[in-house]
Amino acid sequence: MPALNINCNWKLAVENYCEAYHLPWVHPSLNSYSRLEDHYNIIFDQFAGQGSHAYNLSDVAGTHLPIFPSWPQDRLRTAEYVAFFPNVLLGIQADHAFAMMLEPIAPGKTVEHLRLFYVGDEALDSRFEAARDAVMQSWRVVFAEDIASVEGMQKGRHSPGYGGGAFSPEMDLPTHFFHQWAARQLLACAQSV
Ligand SMILES: [Fe+2]
């Protein structure tokens, strides 16, 4: 997938990745096979984000790719999406994973580099080509949908009506965790100067 040039600060891409409540409005197709109400928060040390108990693209798209050998059989629909601080967005499902590296170019510009990974050489077989294409297309749509959101967030930061925003005590816990982490890094840099 080609790199995506985004007009936003890299931290807004992380912030957007850490919460799931934009799914119904920004990602209606994703929300059809990984619904908002099936998500849970993930917060752990150096990463934070969302998990889903009910990721089921394979049912929607008819895709059946090889799965990770040690993946728990009772969690085949579990998927997790975490921002590994500072700038890598990870996603893992039973049959594929992806990593998006955020490259800060300027305070308001970021380049997103995406790599998609399947399970074993078998997954590269031609009989799985349609399944791989369905997975790639699904993420291509999702990441394209996020561009308008994060660029809108960037513009919003410059609005005279922007007053700092508010965190949801329920749904913004991973986002708040990231902000605290980022603030600690900035304070440590400032104190070392
Ligand atoms: Fe999104």
Side-chain angles (χ1 to χ4, degrees):
M1 186 168 174
L4 297 173
N5 293 286
I6 318 290
N7 292 315
C8 79
N9 185 274
W10 66 275
K11 295 191 292 299
L12 293 180
V14 175
E15 183 173 322
N16 180 62
Y17 199 71
C18 281
E19 52 85 1
Y21 55 80
H22 68 284
L23 261 69
W25 297 275
V26 177
H27 305 301
S29 61
L30 174 61
N31 197 63
S32 71
Y33 57 83
S34 186
R35 301 180 308 168
L36 167 60
E37 51 267 50
D38 296 319
H39 282 69
Y40 54 92
N41 292 330
I42 298 171
I43 295 176
F44 188 85
D45 193 19
Q46 190 88 6
F47 58 87
Q50 296 286 314
S52 170
H53 291 302
Y55 175 87
N56 62 349
L57 175 65
S58 57
D59 287 359
V60 174
T63 63
H64 293 285
L65 285 154
I67 66 169
F68 289 103
S70 57
W71 196 280
Q73 286 295 311
D74 60 346
R75 298 186 67 186
L76 290 174
R77 293 183 185 280
T78 296
E80 296 196 332
Y81 308 95
V82 296
F84 189 73
F85 306 155
N87 66 330
V88 179
L89 310 181
L90 302 173
I92 188 164
Q93 296 76 197
D95 59 3
H96 71 283
F98 63 78
M100 179 180 281
M101 196 273 282
L102 305 171
E103 181 186 3
I105 300 297
K109 289 190 182 299
T110 300
V111 177
E112 297 182 344
H113 303 273
L114 179 70
R115 294 293 181 271
L116 196 52
F117 305 94
Y118 298 101
V119 183
D121 293 342
E122 181 192 4
L124 302 179
D125 193 277
S126 59
R127 67 196 156 106
F128 293 117
E129 187 174 352
R132 294 195 307 271
D133 286 348
V135 169
M136 172 61 92
Q137 182 57 23
S138 69
W139 289 122
R140 196 186 292 269
V141 168
V142 169
F143 294 134
E145 290 169 339
D146 275 320
I147 293 175
S149 292
V150 295
E151 291 189 342
M153 291 159 70
Q154 181 71 46
K155 288 178 183 170
R157 294 303 194 275
H158 298 294
S159 167
Y162 177 68
F167 291 106
S168 159
E170 175 66 29
M171 307 191 84
D172 272 327
L173 293 176
T175 309
H176 190 231
F177 185 77
F178 168 65
H179 277 265
Q180 289 177 309
W181 180 90
R184 280 198 302 274
Q185 309 310 307
L186 287 170
L187 286 172
C189 286
Q191 287 166 357
S192 65
V193 173

